[in-house]
Every structure is written in C-alpha cells, then in structure tokens.
Amino acid sequence: MEKLYSLVIHPPETILALVKSMKERLATEVGWFHSKNSVAHITICEFKATDTAIETIKNKISRLCDSLSPVEVRLNEFGAFPNGAFFIAPDSGSKNNLKLIMKRFHKSLRVHNMQKSDNPHLSIARRLSSENLIKANHLFTSIDLNFECDSVVLRQFDETIKQFFVTDSFEFKDNPQPELIQGTLF
C-alpha cells in the first residue's frame, strides 16, 4: 500500500517555535485556518511510495545529501499567493540557492507521481479568505530570520491525525562527487 511522503527543509527549533507562535497569534485574530497545526517547513516535493520503494528513495536522498553543501538562508519578507496562502519568503540569493537544492532532488528522485515545489517559502497559513489575508498582513509587517540549511527531512502523512510526522533526517555532508574521466582503451 502506498503512503504519502513529503521531503522538506526544516529550519532550526527557534524558527519552528517562532512560526508556531505566529500561527497561534493569527488563529486568535481569524480563527482556525489550513496549516494551523503544521510544523514550519519549506516543501521540496510530495509523493506516494510503497514500503519497498521508500527504501530506494531514502538511499537516493542520502547519496544526494552526501554531495550537497550547506547554504545560508535569509527569510526577510511576508508574501501571499492568490490561493490564500500567507508565508515568509526568502531573499533573492537564498531563493536561488534553495531552488538549486530543490531541483537537484527533483531530478535525482524521479518518482512518477511527485508533486514538485519550485517556489521556496515558509507557510504560515493556507486558503485564507481575502479578509483574513488583509488581517495577516496587518498583524505581521516585518521579519528577518537566518539559518543554515544543512539537511532535509522526510515526513510521512498520518491519516488519523491528518498531519505529517518526521521519519528520517538527512544531513548535507559537502563531499564533492568524483568526476567521471573518460579514458581510452589501448
């Protein structure tokens, strides 16, 4: 049986706690909203996999992380999508670095039913009404967070509680990949 997984970037605990408090503040203002109970993350992709397939996928993630280098990430503005998502956005340099990491995973994993994210952001709320988006923008006006992105987290969806939980964490090990050298046979 296939299970739903997501591969994400988790910021450090201090940022997770800050975003949780922001979600609670917003809920006090607007009531319940989608993603209210979700732990802060930057989505790389979501996919379904069997227990057998996930082991192969974990190996691919591990191999790719072995070659990735940590990058500094700065989250310094709030934004919204037309679908009612309210989020914290990275600055342009961080956005480019995160996009490169995300694309490497998209290419490496090649899961047939993968939903790829190509716009890195840290969601606070999803599917807010236009009135509630205005309230969110008035409630949160400035932000400046920094962290080192040095790992990714694999999460599995729990059908009972309707939330993802962490199954594995993969550290970036900054090991250069050996270059393939084409030789000639004599």
Side-chain angles (χ1 to χ4, degrees):
M1 182 175 118
E2 288 188 326
K3 296 173 187 162
L4 180 62
Y5 292 90
S6 70
L7 186 64
V8 303
I9 296 166
H10 266 189
E13 197 59 47
T14 53
I15 294 176
L16 296 179
L18 174 68
V19 173
K20 182 178 181 175
S21 71
M22 293 171 75
K23 289 176 181 235
E24 289 167 1
R25 234 173 107 197
L26 182 60
T28 302
E29 189 73 24
V30 304
W32 185 88
F33 53 85
H34 292 274
S35 289
K36 180 191 174 297
N37 298 319
S38 177
V39 174
H41 62 277
I42 298 171
T43 302
I44 296 171
C45 61
E46 284 188 8
F47 55 89
K48 289 185 176 178
T50 62
D51 289 343
T52 306
I54 198 65
E55 293 309 313
T56 303
I57 292 167
K58 285 180 190 180
N59 287 334
K60 287 181 181 179
I61 294 169
S62 183
R63 278 196 307 276
L64 179 54
C65 286
D66 191 54
S67 68
L68 291 175
S69 301
V71 296
E72 286 299 317
V73 174
R74 181 175 182 210
L75 303 161
N76 66 345
E77 66 181 8
F78 292 103
F81 292 132
N83 65 2
F86 182 71
F87 58 87
I88 306 170
D91 68 9
S92 61
S94 298
K95 186 174 188 172
N96 289 339
N97 288 335
L98 290 169
K99 279 185 167 190
L100 289 173
I101 290 169
M102 293 161 81
K103 283 180 184 175
R104 299 248 337 245
F105 282 103
H106 297 160
K107 287 180 183 175
S108 176
L109 296 181
R110 294 189 198 143
V111 179
H112 73 277
N113 56 4
M114 183 188 301
Q115 293 181 339
K116 302 172 187 174
S117 174
D118 59 2
N119 191 355
H121 62 280
L122 199 62
S123 290
I124 295 172
R126 291 185 302 120
R127 293 192 242 167
L128 291 177
S129 66
S130 52
E131 301 85 37
N132 287 345
L133 266 177
I134 291 168
K135 289 178 183 179
N137 276 305
H138 287 302
L139 198 58
F140 306 111
T141 55
S142 66
I143 189 116
D144 195 4
L145 305 171
N146 295 283
F147 72 96
E148 183 180 58
C149 173
D150 60 359
S151 64
V152 294
V153 172
L154 183 65
R155 308 178 313 161
Q156 182 183 326
F157 190 71
D158 183 325
E159 289 290 340
T160 308
I161 61 171
K162 303 295 183 200
Q163 290 291 325
F164 283 96
F165 64 93
V166 173
T167 62
D168 299 272
S169 184
F170 302 87
E171 235 180 276
F172 296 174
K173 299 209 174 141
D174 199 17
N175 290 324
Q177 293 292 323
E179 289 192 35
L180 296 175
I181 299 170
Q182 186 171 349
T184 55
L185 296 174
F186 294 98

